[in-house]
């Protein structure tokens, strides 16, 4: 049986070794039968197929006797090449006359190669069919569509599977459908001429598409048809006419004057706004050299250097908002602003200019500038007046305060009869206190005027924050005691020295502490904390638990002369300069001032100074020397 078979027959043991193989092994694999006998046939199987072959071998060993299975593997030929072999394996282990697995092996390499070439050919065809910019239909001899590419689906608006058979006719416009169906049924021996018709949007929402169909007969009686969407070509002429009409309408309704000249200066277009602006009809100027109205140099490239277009570009901006002077037909001259673009088609260059009469705008700008200068002069005069007034008020106030202090000292001596003149002392003290309060207000006004006028400058030096805080608290201790407020200080023991204006920083901190005392409830605490934040900034915070304010009032509180309580019966005195002045002083040091407050929850004012204000050891030593 082994020798008489023309195909390769082999008998394998359960472990896959060849026990017998017929002489066809030489023709099929190029090996003599004795070279394969006793060896494992798996040694000649392609590495990618070995695992599958072993799995199928074991499956067949465990299968019922007489069962068979088929598989395709690649085997190595004696010449080093690979052959596709179809292997049919039958389990004859139970047969004592055979006692193994019987393999019938057939070479199907040519069949596989032919199938691969066929699949490659079909793939190329489909790739080309999907890549072309036209729709493609392939129909059999009965006219049933078997293939439609994606482009045709896009043209018709139908899914590709709905185009098969005669479904594509559903997308043809109802008025053209009968004619197209009749053309499609023409005898296959006739050459159908190109025909045009319309596809209709199946949803009824899109525009109709006009197409051109060309059919090609195949040898098997089938048909290939190409369908080209020519709707854009049909629409181009209409669109061009509409565009020309639209451009004319835009030019005639535009509020600005628009004119076009060629390189020789010949006027090509002149809209109605231009006629009104220059006082001359377009018919009197068109197709004539533009020798008046506006200089040609203002309508071309600056310096006469011809503008070069980028590749593929036909239009470029020459000038935008160029200032020029034009002349009306009656000879009057007026200022204009114009934007110019250059266009070039087939070597012919034209310049389009949009002109705007800016006579009224120039007049308004001049009036606005004059008003601005007047306002700035008035503001400067105000600042000068405030500064002068402050100095004038300080002189008599200093005298009032000085003499009140002298009288207060003398009132403490024994009066006639050795009795203390308490009434005189109280009156003199009230005079001194009122004078000092008025002097502080004047100082605040003067400082704010200096800041606004730009005449404010810092006198920088080394600042000991701990000493500064101690001095500010001491200056306001009497004020706190009179209000029944306790001031608590919590400062880091290793506060670094900073570079700044000690008097101005103390003034800013004093304003915050004074406000906290003023707006605290009697007996309430005020805390002042100082230390380094995690980001390296220096933080000074003043917190009270008094009346507080709404968050939307914070911006108003930081505005000069801003008063949250502006009623006649307001409980707290002041002119609204404390917080704004503190803010300006902190910002002058590069820092920030923030307020966090809520009604009846108090307020926390925080000064933050940047790390660059912290002095290094070298800077500290230099300042000490």
């Amino acid at each position: 049986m082994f020798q008489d078979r023309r195909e390769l027959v082999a008998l394998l043991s359960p472990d896959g070794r060849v026990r017998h193989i017929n002489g066809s092994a030489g023709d099929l694999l190029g090996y003599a039968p004795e070279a394969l006998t006793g060896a494992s046939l798996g040694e000649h199987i392609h590495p990618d197929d070995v695992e599958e072959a072993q799995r199928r071998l074991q499956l067949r060993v465990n299968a019922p006797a007489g069962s068979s299975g088929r598989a395709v593997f690649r085997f190595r030929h004696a010449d080093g090449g690979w052959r596709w072999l179809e292997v049919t394996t039958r389990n004859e282990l139970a047969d004592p006359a055979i006692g193994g697995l019987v393999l019938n092996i057939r070479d199907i390499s040519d069949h596989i190669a032919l199938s691969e070439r066929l699949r490659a050919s079909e793939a190329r065809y489909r790739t080309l069919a999907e890549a072309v910019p036209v729709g493609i239909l392939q129909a059999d001899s009965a006219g049933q569509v078997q293939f439609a590419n994606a482009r045709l689906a896009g043209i018709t608006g139908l899914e590709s599977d709905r185009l098969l058979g005669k479904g594509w006719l559903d997308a043809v416009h109802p008025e053209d459908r009968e004619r197209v169906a009749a053309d499609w049924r023409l005898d296959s021996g006739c050459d159908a001429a190109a025909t045009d018709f319309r596809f209709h949007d199946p949803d009824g929402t899109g525009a109709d598409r006009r197409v051109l169909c060309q059919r090609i007969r195949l040898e098997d009686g089938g048909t290939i048809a190409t369908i080209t969407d020519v709707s854009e070509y049909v629409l181009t002429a209409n669109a061009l006419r509409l565009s020309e009409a639209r451009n004319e309408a835009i030019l005639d309704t535009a509020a600005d004057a628009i004119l076009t000249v060629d390189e020789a200066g010949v006027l090509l277009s002149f809209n109605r706004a231009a006629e009104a602006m220059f006082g001359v009809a377009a018919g009197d100027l068109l197709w004539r050299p533009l020798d008046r109205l506006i200089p040609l140099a203002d309508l071309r490239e600056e310096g006469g250097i011809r503008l070069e277009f980028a590749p593929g570009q036909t239009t470029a901006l020459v000038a935008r908002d160029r200032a020029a002077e034009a002349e009306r037909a009656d000879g009057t001259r007026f200022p204009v602003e114009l934007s110019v673009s250059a266009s070039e088609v087939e070597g012919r260059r034209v310049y389009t200019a949009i002109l705007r009469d800016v006579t009224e705008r120039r007049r308004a700008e001049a009036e606005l500038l004059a008003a601005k200068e007047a306002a700035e002069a008035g503001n400067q005069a105000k600042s000068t007046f405030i500064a002068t007034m402050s100095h004038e008020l300080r002189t008599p106030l200093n005298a009032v305060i000085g003499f009140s202090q002298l009288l207060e000292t003398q009132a403490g001596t024994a009066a006639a009869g050795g009795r203390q003149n308490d009434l005189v002392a109280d009156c003199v003290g009230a005079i001194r206190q009122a004078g000092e309060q008025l002097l502080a207000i004047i100082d605040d006004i003067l400082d704010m005027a200096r800041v606004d006028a730009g005449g404010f400058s810092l006198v920088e030096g080394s600042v000991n924050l701990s000493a500064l805080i101690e001095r500010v608290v001491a200056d306001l201790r009497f004020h706190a005691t009179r209000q029944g407020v306790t001031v608590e200080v919590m400062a880091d023991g290793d506060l670094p020295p900073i570079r700044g204006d000690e008097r101005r920083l103390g003034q800013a901190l004093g304003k915050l502490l004074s406000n906290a005392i003023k707006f605290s409830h009697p007996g309430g605490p005020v805390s002042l904390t100082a230390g380094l934040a995690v980001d390296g900034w220096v933080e000074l915070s003043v917190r009270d638990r008094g009346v507080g304010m709404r968050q939307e009032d914070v911006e108003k509180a930081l505005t000069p002369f801003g008063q949250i309580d502006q009623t006649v019966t307001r409980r707290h005195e002041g002119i609204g300069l404390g917080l704004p002045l503190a803010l300006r002083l902190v910002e002058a040091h590069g820092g920030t001032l923030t307020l966090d407050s809520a009604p009846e929850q108090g307020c926390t004012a925080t000064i933050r100074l940047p790390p660059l204000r912290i002095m290094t050891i070298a800077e500290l030593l230099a300042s000490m020397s």
Side-chain angles (χ1 to χ4, degrees):
M1 180 185 68
F2 274 73
Q3 299 303 323
D4 294 339
R5 297 294 295 270
R6 298 184 60 182
E7 63 183 9
L8 180 61
V9 180
L11 180 63
L12 266 64
S13 62
D15 60 356
R17 294 186 176 275
V18 179
R19 293 172 56 186
H20 301 287
I21 190 167
N22 68 352
S24 297
D27 297 334
L28 194 63
L29 299 179
Y31 296 99
E34 55 270 17
L36 298 175
T37 303
S40 173
L41 200 59
E43 296 176 359
H44 301 278
I45 297 177
H46 193 282
D48 292 344
D49 299 341
V50 168
E51 184 177 351
E52 179 64 15
Q54 291 176 347
R55 187 186 70 82
R56 287 182 173 270
L57 176 66
Q58 190 62 38
L59 182 66
R60 192 52 47 208
V61 169
N62 297 329
S67 63
S68 63
R70 182 177 298 175
V72 176
F73 301 109
R74 286 167 288 179
F75 285 74
R76 185 188 300 108
H77 194 271
D79 62 7
W82 296 95
R83 297 288 190 274
W84 285 95
L85 303 181
E86 182 184 70
V87 182
T88 302
T89 307
R90 188 170 68 256
N91 186 341
E92 297 294 347
L93 292 171
D95 189 340
I98 300 176
L101 301 174
V102 179
L103 273 62
N104 293 299
I105 303 174
R106 186 165 61 95
D107 188 350
I108 60 170
S109 299
D110 292 341
H111 176 72
I112 293 293
L114 182 60
S115 297
E116 290 296 330
R117 287 197 298 272
L118 180 59
R119 282 195 293 269
S121 176
E122 290 178 349
R124 284 194 298 272
Y125 167 74
R126 288 188 175 273
T127 300
L128 291 173
E130 295 295 350
V132 294
V134 297
I136 293 180
L137 283 177
Q138 182 178 349
D140 58 17
S141 57
Q144 297 292 315
V145 173
Q146 298 173 321
F147 168 77
N149 67 348
R151 175 56 182 159
L152 184 61
I155 294 175
T156 61
L158 295 177
E159 298 293 336
S160 297
D161 57 350
R162 292 183 58 188
L163 297 173
L164 302 181
K166 294 186 177 181
W168 69 280
L169 289 172
D170 294 338
V172 177
H173 196 284
E175 297 177 2
D176 301 338
R177 192 172 298 158
E178 184 177 353
R179 174 173 59 85
V180 172
D183 291 343
W184 196 255
R185 289 192 299 267
L186 287 176
D187 183 72
S188 60
C190 301
D191 291 331
T195 181
D196 68 285
F197 55 90
R198 293 165 295 170
F199 277 122
H200 183 66
D201 183 3
D203 295 331
T205 58
D208 295 338
R209 289 179 177 269
R210 184 168 292 277
V211 298
L212 182 66
C213 178
Q214 180 71 46
R215 298 167 65 189
I216 302 173
R217 299 295 180 180
L218 300 177
E219 294 180 357
D220 61 358
T223 304
I224 289 182
T226 59
I227 297 178
T228 305
D229 184 358
V230 296
S231 55
E232 294 297 330
Y233 300 101
V234 174
L235 293 175
T236 298
N238 294 334
L240 181 59
R241 288 193 294 269
L242 289 174
S243 177
E244 291 176 348
R246 184 169 55 250
N247 289 339
E248 291 180 1
I250 292 174
L251 291 176
D252 286 339
T253 57
D256 295 328
I258 303 175
L259 58 87
T260 304
V261 297
D262 63 11
E263 288 187 280
V266 176
L267 186 66
L268 305 179
S269 67
F270 199 70
N271 71 340
R272 292 182 181 177
E275 292 179 333
M277 177 181 291
F278 290 98
V280 59
D284 297 337
L285 299 174
L286 290 178
W287 308 109
R288 298 177 184 177
L290 185 67
D291 53 2
R292 57 194 181 104
L293 304 183
I294 189 168
L296 283 175
D298 292 333
L299 303 179
R300 295 174 178 168
E301 294 89 343
E302 189 174 354
I305 301 175
R306 185 182 177 91
L307 180 67
E308 296 295 334
F309 295 102
Q313 187 179 15
T314 59
T315 303
L317 183 66
V318 173
R320 184 186 298 277
D321 298 333
R322 175 184 286 174
E325 189 175 49
E327 182 179 345
R328 293 188 175 89
D330 60 6
T332 58
R333 306 186 67 84
F334 61 100
V336 296
E337 277 186 356
L338 69 158
S339 296
V340 184
S341 63
S343 303
E344 188 171 290
V345 178
E346 297 181 354
R348 184 187 182 193
R349 179 168 294 203
V350 295
Y351 297 90
T352 300
I354 301 176
L355 298 87
R356 178 169 296 176
D357 186 350
V358 294
T359 303
E360 293 299 324
R361 193 178 75 187
R362 294 285 175 83
R363 182 182 297 111
E365 288 175 352
E367 294 175 353
L368 182 62
L369 180 60
K372 178 177 177 293
E373 292 175 349
E376 290 177 347
N379 186 60
Q380 183 63 34
K382 179 204 71 172
S383 299
T384 303
F385 169 75
I386 291 175
T388 303
M389 179 196 68
S390 299
H391 283 291
E392 291 295 329
L393 291 174
R394 287 175 63 88
T395 301
L397 275 176
N398 286 331
V400 170
I401 294 171
F403 283 118
S404 65
Q405 290 174 341
L406 178 61
L407 290 174
E408 194 174 20
T409 302
Q410 292 179 351
T413 60
R419 291 177 304 166
Q420 188 76 19
N421 195 341
D422 295 333
L423 180 60
V424 174
D426 291 341
C427 293
V428 173
I431 294 172
R432 179 181 59 80
Q433 182 179 353
E436 290 175 347
Q437 183 179 1
L438 185 56
L439 182 60
I441 293 174
I442 293 172
D443 285 340
D444 287 348
I445 295 175
L446 182 59
D447 286 338
M448 187 60 70
R450 287 172 180 167
V451 171
D452 290 341
F456 176 78
S457 60
L458 299 178
V459 181
E460 296 192 1
S462 175
V463 179
N464 185 330
L465 288 177
S466 298
L468 177 68
I469 293 171
E470 184 178 350
R471 177 174 58 80
V472 170
V473 172
D475 290 343
L476 292 169
R477 183 170 288 111
F478 175 77
H479 179 44
T481 301
R482 188 176 61 179
Q483 293 289 110
V485 174
T486 303
V487 179
E488 302 172 351
V489 178
M490 293 171 286
D492 292 347
D494 55 349
L495 283 175
I498 65 171
R499 183 179 65 259
D501 189 325
E502 183 174 1
R503 187 172 75 87
R504 295 304 187 184
L505 286 176
Q507 187 178 2
L509 186 59
K511 296 295 183 186
L512 301 183
L513 185 57
S514 175
N515 261 22
I517 294 172
K518 180 168 63 174
F519 292 105
S520 290
H521 298 302
V526 172
S527 60
L528 195 160
T529 60
L532 285 177
V534 293
D535 57 1
W537 285 57
V538 177
E539 286 190 355
L540 304 172
S541 296
V542 178
R543 180 185 179 189
D544 66 78
R545 296 168 181 79
V547 297
M549 58 180 155
R550 297 176 303 174
Q551 195 60 36
E552 55 266 29
D553 291 330
V554 169
E555 182 178 357
K556 185 176 182 180
L558 294 173
T559 303
F561 303 104
Q563 296 259 342
I564 298 176
D565 183 6
Q566 295 183 336
T567 60
V568 177
T569 59
R570 61 193 181 99
R571 296 177 297 168
H572 304 285
E573 298 178 351
I575 60 174
L577 284 181
L579 288 176
L581 184 57
L583 175 63
R584 303 295 196 280
L585 296 177
V586 172
E587 289 178 342
H589 286 79
T592 62
L593 172 61
T594 58
L595 300 179
D596 184 14
S597 182
E600 297 304 327
Q601 299 296 320
C603 178
T604 300
T606 303
I607 295 174
R608 282 171 53 85
L609 299 174
L612 58 85
R613 284 284 171 184
I614 299 176
M615 298 183 69
T616 63
I617 296 178
E619 290 176 334
L620 184 60
L621 293 176
S623 66
M624 294 174 62
S625 62

